[in-house]
Amino acid sequence: SPAGMVLSVLVILLLSMLYEAIKMGKALLLRRALLALPHSLSQESLMEPEEGDPGSAQGRWFGYHVGQTLFHVVQVVLGYLVMLAVMSYNAWIFLGAILGSTLGYFL
């Protein structure tokens, strides 16, 4: 039905926008993780946390790494869902994915 097609295109558009937003969130987490690393990148500074420092660089870096991993999993799942929808070979779904990706990147 026409209403079902409009709803499908809208859902794909929103999924594409979310995909782009997650990509940006992953980049922000990477920047924060790099800033959390100690100035000296010796093995000792990464392996041995400073005592009495609950927010040590190692702990912050690990937290950011876990966050990046979760963002990556969600990004891959969304990417495959959008790809699966596009592989339906429906021109409207394809245009919804392209428009959603464009709007998501722009915003």
Side-chain angles (χ1 to χ4, degrees):
S1 72
M5 180 55 71
V6 169
L7 182 63
S8 297
V9 171
L10 184 63
V11 166
I12 295 302
L13 185 134
L14 293 175
L15 284 176
S16 297
M17 289 179 69
L18 183 60
Y19 177 85
E20 292 294 332
I22 288 174
K23 219 167 56 170
M24 187 58 154
K26 225 170 90 171
L28 289 173
L29 271 179
L30 175 63
R31 187 172 65 198
R32 288 184 182 172
L34 291 175
L35 290 174
L37 284 175
H39 295 295
S40 169
L41 292 178
S42 67
Q43 288 289 339
E44 294 81 23
S45 66
L46 290 175
M47 299 305 279
E48 298 174 10
E50 293 89 22
E51 298 193 14
D53 186 12
S56 68
Q58 179 186 11
R60 286 191 312 258
W61 181 84
F62 182 74
Y64 288 132
H65 187 64
V66 169
Q68 281 181 306
T69 302
L70 294 175
F71 268 110
H72 179 74
V73 169
V74 172
Q75 182 185 5
V76 167
V77 169
L78 282 176
Y80 277 117
L81 284 174
V82 171
M83 182 180 66
L84 186 62
V86 167
M87 293 304 291
S88 70
Y89 298 108
N90 184 311
W92 293 109
I93 297 286
F94 177 73
L95 290 175
I98 297 298
L99 183 62
S101 182
T102 303
L103 286 173
Y105 183 81
F106 181 74
L107 295 176

